[in-house]
Amino acid sequence: MRDYPSFPAFSQASSPESWHGTTILMVKKGGRTVIGGDGQVTLGQTIVKGNARKVRRLSKGDVIGGFAGATADAFTLFERLEAKLEQYPGQLMRACVELAKDWRTDRYLRRLEAMMLVADKQAGLVLTGTGDVLEPEMTEQGSVMGIGSGGNYALAAGRALLATEFDAETITRKSLEIAADICVYTNRNLIIESIDA
């Protein structure tokens, strides 16, 4: 398998207008990977729902994922990723690369407006509709990645908190709460899932 390069944390696509409505954050620290997200769904300037579940377990609980963007599009991508994980069991990177190829080349999938953060025991990745499969930049303390309209706020908070004694789950929770204080498209109704290395 090819060695894919690491990229800096990535938090939004070329058109920020497409990604309003959520904040998803992934933190890797101390042998644990945590993905958390808020529950707010907006339609224009209106809050439609406050307790949506944008973070979930995949592949019989071995993979966790979170999405930002259009909900129906994200569920379609989760289903496609599940199928790839069945095809390539225990190979998250390969499954994501194959999904990214399909996402970029398939006429139907190309129209989907969503981004995903996914992780298993070994890898944490962000997937985009432009064919990107990106790994977070690792430091001595760990790594952080954020997507969605509040992704940059949570990312900044997460990077600052990595140097503290807080564990990955606490960093994720505190970072999302900071994002909720800043981003009008993010609330404090958090869903957090974790996986140990």
Side-chain angles (χ1 to χ4, degrees):
M1 183 173 206
R2 291 187 314 190
D3 184 25
Y4 293 91
S6 293
F7 291 85
F10 182 81
S11 64
Q12 72 187 51
S14 57
S15 173
E17 272 44 79
S18 302
W19 311 111
H20 279 180
T22 198
T23 301
I24 305 293
L25 186 72
M26 177 171 53
V27 177
K28 294 175 74 75
K29 183 178 181 181
R32 174 170 268 203
T33 301
V34 178
I35 296 180
D38 76 305
Q40 185 164 297
V41 177
T42 56
L43 184 59
Q45 305 300 317
T46 305
I47 297 170
V48 178
K49 186 175 182 176
N51 63 347
R53 188 172 182 90
K54 302 171 195 170
V55 176
R56 60 193 281 203
R57 290 193 169 271
L58 307 165
S59 188
K60 300 175 185 168
D62 295 333
V63 175
I64 51 176
F67 71 86
T71 306
D73 293 354
F75 285 133
T76 299
L77 291 167
F78 272 144
E79 288 172 8
R80 294 286 181 123
L81 180 57
E82 287 265 25
K84 295 295 183 187
L85 288 166
E86 287 177 17
Q87 189 176 355
Y88 305 105
Q91 301 178 61
L92 179 63
M93 177 70 82
R94 173 111 188 248
C96 288
V97 169
E98 295 300 323
L99 175 62
K101 285 181 194 174
D102 292 350
W103 195 353
R104 185 171 169 81
T105 58
D106 183 274
R107 184 173 290 166
Y108 167 72
L109 292 178
R110 262 195 315 238
R111 294 192 185 107
L112 300 182
E113 295 184 359
M115 294 176 70
M116 298 169 62
L117 279 175
V118 294
D120 66 3
K121 292 178 180 181
Q122 290 85 33
L125 306 164
V126 64
L127 285 76
T128 73
T130 57
D132 295 316
V133 178
L134 309 173
E135 289 184 287
E137 182 177 357
M138 288 297 292
T139 68
E140 286 181 20
Q141 293 86 21
S143 64
V144 182
M145 294 181 84
I147 59 173
S149 59
N152 282 333
Y153 309 119
L155 174 65
R159 283 185 173 176
L161 292 170
L162 266 183
T164 68
E165 74 283 356
F166 294 132
D167 63 15
E169 186 168 335
T170 303
I171 292 171
T172 302
R173 190 172 300 282
K174 287 181 177 295
S175 299
L176 289 169
E177 288 171 353
I178 289 168
D181 288 341
I182 300 168
C183 177
V184 297
Y185 296 102
T186 303
N187 70 13
R188 289 173 169 266
N189 191 349
L190 307 179
I191 300 292
I192 295 178
E193 296 281 357
S194 64
I195 196 161
D196 291 323

